[in-house]
Amino acid sequence: MLFLILSIVCSVTVGVLFKWFRNHQAFNSKAIIATNYAIALLLCYFCFPPQFSTLVEQAPWPLYLALGLLLPGVFLLLSQSIQHIGIVKTDAAQRLSLFIPLLASWLLFGEQFSTLKVLAFGVGFPALLFILSKPTANSNSNWGYPAMVLLGFGVIDILFKQIALQTQLPFTTSLLVIFALALVMMSGVVGNEIFIQRQKIAGINALWGVAVGVFNFGNIYFYLKAHQAFSENPSTVFAGMNMGVIVLGSLIGVLIFKEKLSQKNYFGLFLALLAIILLTYAQLKG
């Protein structure tokens, strides 16, 4: 469970950093995301020397290309969704993407659900709804962006599961290729803003991108390690990651950012903690 916990902490830290940076006038999400992938690429290269000799014949290139496009693409969709319908509904769409990989665990990966695990999911799903039940003044009903966010994060979870199951080459080499492809895409987006649209991007975004890149690398690395540790129970990682991020993120929001939670939100936190305990117990018994 240690890898899963570390992945949750890194994921929440990335969100906290973006929340802090967003209030700065010079904030540019595209430049931060591009720098983030550059740092993640360097960390992956120097911490885990790649085995390029195996890439040509044995690498799952369709998976690499899909993730290289989806990772930055969903980041950009997330930003657009927040702009059009607000952060609350966007966050709900991102976290409810849990349904997609859980369905895949059953239909694609052939996982057998024990009674205890089914009970944990039965508690976890309403927990997500109660936690994300927050009032919003934005009445815009355009759900196109959040729908794409939900689908994108769900598909990314499934693709990373497939990467974790590849045994013909180290998954850190796979990460290096994915980060490189994501960097190429985001470099094109930022280059378009600078050279075509003639926008000025403050250098401080590069510093913010370094911080985001370190924790984003940690998030993905530990997430893949968790999938390897729970190779027979991918739903444990899928569910534990989503609920764990929501619980920790909500606690940080209350304690650090002084955000207000309703009684429904607190009840959802209680249910999520109960679901995580049930999942852990089910894993130990299995």
Side-chain angles (χ1 to χ4, degrees), residues 20 36-37 65 82 104 116-117 122 124 126 132 135 158 228 245:
W20 276 330
N36 143 74
Y37 285 123
L65 291 171
I82 291 172
L116 193 59
K117 187 167 291 187
L132 297 172
I158 295 172
Q228 288 186 323
V245 165

Side-chain angles (χ1 to χ4, degrees), residues 40-41 44 48 64 71 160 163 170-181 217 220-222 224:
L41 177 65
C44 193
F48 309 100
Y64 290 166
L71 281 176
F160 267 128
I163 291 292
F171 70 87
T172 49
T173 300
S174 296
L175 269 183
L176 183 75
V177 177
I178 294 168
F179 288 148
L181 292 172
F217 171 76
I220 297 175
Y221 171 73
F222 290 122
L224 289 179

Side-chain angles (χ1 to χ4, degrees), residues 14-277:
V14 170
V16 169
L17 290 174
F18 268 108
K19 190 174 181 69
W20 276 330
F21 300 155
R22 189 187 305 277
N23 297 325
H24 199 285
Q25 187 176 3
F27 176 79
N28 184 297
S29 61
K30 297 182 181 68
I32 292 175
I33 293 172
T35 307
N36 143 74
Y37 285 123
I39 296 302
L41 177 65
L42 290 174
L43 285 173
C44 193
Y45 181 83
F46 288 108
C47 294
F48 309 100
Q51 297 182 8
F52 290 123
S53 59
T54 60
L55 281 176
V56 177
E57 296 181 357
Q58 301 183 42
W61 286 103
L63 290 177
Y64 290 166
L65 291 171
L67 282 168
L69 291 173
L70 276 175
L71 281 176
V74 171
F75 259 125
L76 294 174
L77 286 173
L78 198 69
S79 176
Q80 289 296 312
S81 181
I82 291 172
Q83 178 183 343
H84 282 81
I85 72 162
I87 195 169
V88 173
K89 293 179 181 179
T90 301
D91 186 56
Q94 179 183 352
R95 297 311 171 192
L96 290 177
S97 65
L98 169 69
F99 284 94
I100 296 176
L102 281 179
L103 187 61
S105 295
W106 177 44
L107 296 178
L108 300 180
F109 305 139
E111 180 177 353
Q112 300 298 316
F113 284 6
S114 66
T115 302
L116 193 59
K117 187 167 291 187
V118 170
L119 178 61
F121 295 148
V123 173
F125 289 144
L128 293 174
L129 297 177
F130 277 118
I131 290 173
L132 297 172
S133 177
K134 302 177 183 178
T136 176
N138 193 332
S139 59
N140 192 330
S141 59
N142 180 7
W143 279 86
Y145 284 115
M148 289 188 286
V149 167
L150 186 151
L151 180 62
F153 274 104
V155 172
I156 284 172
D157 272 350
I158 295 172
L159 293 178
F160 267 128
K161 168 61 181 176
Q162 293 296 314
I163 291 292
L165 294 177
Q166 301 293 323
T167 58
Q168 68 269 30
L169 73 167
F171 70 87
T172 49
T173 300
S174 296
L175 269 183
L176 183 75
V177 177
I178 294 168
F179 288 148
L181 292 172
L183 176 60
V184 169
M185 177 180 175
M186 288 308 305
S187 296
V189 172
V190 174
N192 176 69
E193 285 195 346
I194 296 175
F195 299 109
I196 305 300
Q197 300 180 18
R198 299 296 181 180
Q199 295 185 18
K200 293 184 178 180
I201 299 177
I204 194 172
N205 286 282
L207 295 178
W208 292 339
V210 171
V212 172
V214 169
F215 287 100
N216 190 33
F217 171 76
N219 170 34
I220 297 175
Y221 171 73
F222 290 122
Y223 184 68
L224 289 179
K225 291 289 287 184
H227 266 304
Q228 288 186 323
F230 296 108
S231 59
E232 301 299 322
N233 296 278
S235 60
T236 298
V237 181
F238 291 144
M241 182 68 185
N242 280 271
M243 288 183 289
V245 165
I246 288 177
V247 171
L248 182 58
S250 298
L251 291 175
I252 290 177
V254 171
L255 299 177
I256 297 180
F257 295 107
K258 308 301 180 183
E259 295 180 359
K260 301 295 183 182
L261 293 182
S262 66
Q263 290 183 344
K264 287 184 178 181
N265 299 151
Y266 283 114
F267 182 61
L269 287 174
F270 169 75
L271 289 179
L273 287 172
L274 178 59
I276 292 172
I277 292 172

